[in-house]
Amino acid sequence: MTRHRLAAAIATLLLAAVGCSQPAPGGLPQHHHGTTSRTHRQAQPRAVSDVLVRHRYVLGYSVEHRPVIAVQIGDPDSPRRILLVGCIHGNEPAGIAIARALLATRVPPEVNLWVVPDLNPDGVHAGTRGNARGVDLNRNFPYRWRPIGAPGSLHYAGSHALSEREARMAARLLRRVRPTLGLWYHQALDVVDTSQGPRALERRYAADTGLPTRRLPDYPGSAIGFEDHLFGPTAFAIELPAGRVSRAELRRHLRAIVDIATRAPIHHALKPWEAA
Ligand SMILES: [Zn+2]
């Protein structure tokens, strides 16, 4: 974000420099001597809103040292901040294909989209629900965390909240991005979960994809529970059917993501400079 703001500031300075000696490009207001500071303030938002980015970040490394990647695309200054996580349970990997397909398509320029295709690469590699330490990452987040199971059991919640590096990466990203919409993919219940997220957008996603809705339990220590605790009802789970996502399903999910991304509320979690 800092790098982007620096780039935007440089772009504004360049535009200002050009405007002093020749007509300003792109229909921006031309400078007149004596009104320079006012014109600078007017030109800056225009320059910022036109900058679209595609940044790839390594959030960190899994227990077995696989990179956990996040890709930011769109307008980094848009208040529509959307986080999509393709996989958190390693034996439920179908959402990874949706995340990757989304990164290969054109997204609406008015959204600030963060995509984590795979938060649990060790689990995907091994075909296990948990990470390489046998912890269910979706019981390891610091909201209503409680001990569940014994080490090695299916829903083992870890020794304490955020005991796992993959969960810590996601928690850091959540606190940094402050998403106004969160989409987390699971398998294989074949429903959109309407238990605690943004109800209208959940229903819309279900209608767009043809998935039924169902209220699933709010599990202790879940990523979505943590996200909704931090930012209000913004995040929900999509339970894909078993197996791989077909091409037709892929198209429906991409359409649904774009559809609700452009309708995501913008009133939550404003950053200080956006609230001004
Ligand atoms: Zn799951």
Side-chain angles (χ1 to χ4, degrees), residues 89 92 129 186-187 239:
H89 287 142
E92 304 170 5
R129 178 181 176 91
H186 291 261
Q187 285 178 278
E239 283 270 356

Side-chain angles (χ1 to χ4, degrees), residues 82 84 98-99 102 107-108 111 113 181 183 185 205 208-209 238 250-263:
I82 291 124
L84 184 148
I98 294 173
L102 183 64
V107 299
V111 299
L113 178 64
L181 173 65
L183 305 173
Y185 289 83
Y205 194 102
D208 285 347
T209 54
I238 297 107
L250 202 56
R251 276 196 297 275
R252 285 198 291 274
H253 282 277
L254 293 184
R255 201 172 56 219
I257 293 164
V258 169
D259 182 27
I260 68 167
T262 52
R263 296 165 195 273

Side-chain angles (χ1 to χ4, degrees), residues 165-196:
R165 48 174 53 215
E166 296 90 350
R168 289 197 296 274
M169 288 175 217
R172 269 200 306 270
L173 184 66
L174 283 170
R175 288 198 158 107
R176 181 181 160 197
V177 173
R178 304 177 69 79
T180 56
L181 173 65
L183 305 173
W184 295 73
Y185 289 83
H186 291 261
Q187 285 178 278
L189 297 179
D190 204 7
V191 295
V192 173
D193 175 21
T194 53
S195 62
Q196 58 171 311

Side-chain angles (χ1 to χ4, degrees), residues 237-251:
I238 297 107
E239 283 270 356
L240 300 167
R244 292 188 177 188
V245 178
S246 72
R247 292 177 89 88
E249 285 174 320
L250 202 56
R251 276 196 297 275

Side-chain angles (χ1 to χ4, degrees), residues 81-173:
R81 296 183 292 274
I82 291 124
L83 173 68
L84 184 148
V85 179
C87 178
I88 183 170
H89 287 142
N91 58 348
E92 304 170 5
I96 296 173
I98 294 173
R100 288 186 179 150
L102 183 64
L103 291 176
T105 59
R106 281 167 66 97
V107 299
E110 66 268 32
V111 299
N112 179 6
L113 178 64
W114 288 77
V115 179
V116 178
D118 184 2
L119 185 62
N120 185 6
D122 295 347
V124 171
H125 179 77
T128 58
R129 178 181 176 91
N131 69 353
R133 285 159 33 98
V135 176
D136 183 342
L137 297 175
N138 207 35
R139 301 291 181 275
N140 195 236
F141 283 80
Y143 177 66
R144 291 187 176 158
W145 180 92
R146 62 178 176 82
I148 300 171
S153 66
L154 194 60
H155 299 282
Y156 178 50
S159 56
H160 55 273
L162 294 185
S163 62
E164 302 311 300
R165 48 174 53 215
E166 296 90 350
R168 289 197 296 274
M169 288 175 217
R172 269 200 306 270
L173 184 66

